[in-house]
Amino acid sequence: MIQFVNVSKVYPDTDVEALHNVDITIEEGEFVSFIGHSGAGKSTLVKMLLREDRPSEGSILYKGEDINDFSHKEMNLYRQNIGVVFQDFRLLSNKTVFENVAFAMEVAGKPDEIIAEDVPYVLELVDLVDKANNFPHQLSGGEKQRLAIARAIINDPKLLVADEPTGNLDPASTYEVVDILKKINKLGTTVILTTHNTGVVDALKKRVITLEKGSIVRDDPHGSYIISKK
Ligand code: ADP
């Protein structure tokens, strides 16, 4: 589904090589975690995947096509297939829980009756039905992240990218978020997660790719990893 073929990224302003010869294949339906210390290259990898930036060398393929050759229209289609969740939630503060999710559907041009049907279903999935009328400032960190996940999956993307989604959360909320990501993956969505939290990948027991200074140092299908002491 997604392939990184010998991807390297040098940031021209600082000459830092953030990714070095990264080669990865991610199949449809997989749950893949990228683990590594701060500065290992996780966010750079996500930026390349979302085409917010381009590799210096190598290519990124989606279903066999190089995403950096996509036309404007193909890029829009590609982005519609990807839901994204960030560490800092990025919710709309003046909209309620329900409206935050509904808005993502309105932007995608979905009709009102589908919105009225789908939003409660997804809020149920992330266990936020009883907070539907709350505003983001009336939610805990874990609830905010569960809302961000609901919004990311409401338009049924093929791929969910979660970039350090538990970075701001306490351990209890972290495990709730991990459980929801697992549930979404079980329902058929491919999940790519980045984290520096070894406890998260231990709990997942899914494929884990360890990044160190921009290089892959381990790719383990069963959730073990090497993470050197700093
Ligand atoms: P992580 O997400 O694992 O913390 P990053 O991908 O953010 O790692 O960073 C990888 C390396 O690239 C670091 O050395 C970082 O300082 C550098 N870097 C990240 N973004 C930029 C940028 N926009 N310009 C220059 N250097 C950057």
Side-chain angles (χ1 to χ4, degrees):
M1 182 189 203
I2 299 275
Q3 245 180 310
F4 277 64
V5 185
N6 273 318
V7 171
S8 295
K9 174 66 183 178
V10 178
Y11 286 107
D13 46 345
T14 54
D15 248 10
V16 169
E17 191 179 35
L19 293 176
H20 178 73
N21 278 349
V22 169
D23 245 322
I24 324 160
T25 300
I26 297 172
E27 304 292 349
E28 207 158 338
E30 268 199 273
F31 192 130
V32 183
S33 304
F34 287 90
I35 192 164
H37 290 303
S38 172
K42 305 179 296 297
S43 300
T44 301
L45 191 122
V46 168
K47 266 192 257 173
M48 301 290 128
L49 182 62
L50 303 178
R51 222 189 73 174
E52 286 172 8
D53 201 345
R54 290 167 186 256
S56 315
E57 274 179 65
S59 35
I60 298 160
L61 311 181
Y62 178 69
K63 299 190 171 171
E65 312 262 349
D66 190 332
I67 66 167
N68 288 299
D69 293 338
F70 280 172
S71 65
H72 186 66
K73 196 173 152 197
E74 287 169 326
M75 199 60 219
N76 283 342
L77 276 174
Y78 173 66
R79 290 217 169 102
Q80 281 168 25
N81 279 318
I82 306 180
V84 191
V85 175
F86 298 99
Q87 179 170 354
D88 58 357
F89 320 123
R90 306 193 189 177
L91 301 169
L92 299 167
S93 57
N94 59 343
K95 292 191 186 293
T96 64
V97 165
F98 188 100
E99 289 164 352
N100 261 277
V101 182
F103 186 68
M105 294 188 84
E106 286 163 22
V107 169
K110 302 281 167 72
D112 288 351
E113 57 278 17
I114 304 286
I115 295 177
E117 208 172 282
D118 285 5
V119 176
Y121 168 77
V122 167
L123 291 182
E124 177 86 48
L125 189 75
V126 300
D127 198 16
L128 279 180
V129 174
D130 53 350
K131 306 276 173 174
N133 296 318
N134 285 28
F135 287 91
H137 75 271
Q138 298 166 321
L139 301 176
S140 70
E143 288 165 345
K144 282 183 195 161
Q145 196 57 293
R146 284 188 271 135
L147 171 56
I149 293 171
R151 184 181 57 180
I153 61 165
I154 190 68
N155 292 315
D156 206 14
K158 298 261 179 295
L159 172 67
L160 177 65
V161 178
D163 191 10
E164 289 277 4
T166 62
N168 285 332
L169 305 182
D170 59 49
S173 306
T174 292
Y175 291 106
E176 284 167 14
V177 163
V178 168
D179 269 354
I180 287 165
L181 294 176
K182 272 175 110 164
K183 208 154 66 171
I184 291 165
N185 176 245
K186 235 180 174 170
L187 292 169
T189 309
T190 308
V191 178
I192 294 178
L193 168 78
T194 73
T195 183
H196 62 266
N197 185 340
T198 53
V200 165
V201 297
D202 283 342
L204 277 164
K205 298 192 173 56
K206 300 275 189 188
R207 181 178 177 194
V208 44
I209 297 175
T210 312
L211 276 172
E212 216 172 275
K213 293 184 186 148
S215 294
I216 294 179
V217 295
R218 187 178 177 120
D219 182 348
D220 189 286
H222 307 296
S224 56
Y225 50 85
I226 315 170
I227 190 153
S228 60
K229 296 238 173 358
K230 258 196 166 170

